[in-house]
Amino acid sequence: QVQLVESGGGLVRPGGALSLKCEASGSMVSIISMAWYRQAPGKQRELVAIIATRGTSTVADSVKGRFTISRDKNTLYLQMNSLKPEDTAVYYCNAHSDVILRQYDYWGQGTQVTVSL
């Protein structure tokens, strides 16, 4: 079992920066990737960035060049720079297990990010 807890959300001005952190606990042996998702009011949850166990990462086109995902053992980070109002959403930490006959997604409770004047 894996537990995920996000932190670091808050209110920032457009063009500002914010760092999110996700602390993972429990058994991580089956986790093959971790990711950040976000969901704005009235919109579907979308993938923001994902990182594999070997360190390879991908970010969504909408945040490319502005957001950076990284992982240090059981801690996942999302560095957000040059924030825009459209980045406003609840950000969720995700850990994915995908092995033979056993697949599962773990989710954190979410942390609110608001970008506004």
Side-chain angles (χ1 to χ4, degrees):
Q1 302 294 331
V2 175
Q3 297 80 46
L4 305 172
V5 179
E6 304 98 332
S7 62
L11 173 64
V12 296
R13 305 272 82 82
L18 200 63
S19 297
L20 304 184
K21 180 172 69 176
C22 172
E23 298 278 5
S25 60
S27 179
M28 298 287 288
V29 294
S30 67
I31 302 300
I32 62 172
S33 67
M34 295 186 72
W36 288 99
Y37 286 75
R38 67 185 182 186
Q39 187 167 26
K43 301 184 69 176
Q44 297 186 81
R45 186 172 298 186
E46 64 175 346
L47 176 67
V48 176
I50 186 167
I51 185 167
T53 55
R54 289 202 294 172
T56 56
S57 64
T58 303
V59 299
D61 288 342
S62 60
V63 303
K64 188 176 182 179
R66 301 188 297 119
F67 291 12
T68 302
I69 188 171
S70 61
R71 179 183 174 184
D72 181 13
K73 295 185 178 180
N74 291 340
T75 304
L76 184 71
Y77 301 91
L78 185 67
Q79 178 62 48
M80 304 184 292
N81 299 323
S82 302
L83 284 161
K84 304 175 180 180
E86 51 262 46
D87 294 320
T88 297
V90 177
Y91 284 70
Y92 296 92
C93 180
N94 165 270
H96 181 68
S97 174
D98 191 5
V99 297
I100 297 175
L101 301 179
R102 180 73 169 170
Q103 303 89 42
Y104 199 79
D105 279 290
Y106 299 91
W107 297 92
Q109 82 289 349
T111 185
Q112 177 72 49
V113 172
T114 302
V115 185
S116 179
L117 293 171

